[in-house]
Amino acid sequence: MAMKMIHVERIEKAEEPLEFCVIVGEDQSETKHEVTMPESVYKRLTNGKVTPERCIQAAFQFLLDREPKESILSRFDVTVISKYFPGFERDLGKYLHP
């Protein structure tokens, strides 16, 4: 099984929501994603115990365990993950603190 690299970079801006550019690399290919996350969702998911970047990285690890990187939407808000995977918020802790 190929190793996946998840690079998360926060896009700095003043207003809500938090925005990130995520690059997922595997073998010789990569996908690029623009992801948003409301501050309130970040706090609910992490209790502020990890950085927003780490939360997004964990969310991508969760997704990659369930689908290939090419199936992940190129632009989305973290809240839509639960629509596709209802156990996302419950299981995210396993990815935040492996």
Side-chain angles (χ1 to χ4, degrees), residues 12-89:
E12 291 297 334
K13 62 184 190 72
E15 72 275 1
E16 276 271 322
L18 304 173
E19 278 190 36
F20 305 87
C21 174
V22 181
I23 297 172
V24 180
E26 182 182 24
D27 297 329
Q28 303 301 313
S29 68
E30 64 181 34
T31 56
K32 190 173 183 180
H33 311 270
E34 291 179 36
V35 184
T36 55
M37 177 172 59
E39 183 91 26
S40 60
V41 172
Y42 160 66
K43 289 190 168 123
R44 186 178 80 238
L45 292 176
T46 69
N47 290 325
K49 290 182 169 34
V50 299
T51 64
E53 291 85 352
R54 177 70 188 104
C55 182
I56 294 295
Q57 183 184 38
F60 268 79
Q61 288 169 330
F62 172 92
L63 288 170
L64 290 165
D65 279 353
R66 289 156 179 80
E67 62 185 352
K69 68 185 186 308
E70 294 80 10
S71 295
I72 299 172
L73 299 170
S74 60
R75 187 179 183 99
F76 67 95
D77 188 90
V78 164
T79 56
V80 306
I81 297 173
S82 292
K83 289 181 176 65
Y84 295 96
F85 302 102
F88 169 66
E89 291 194 11

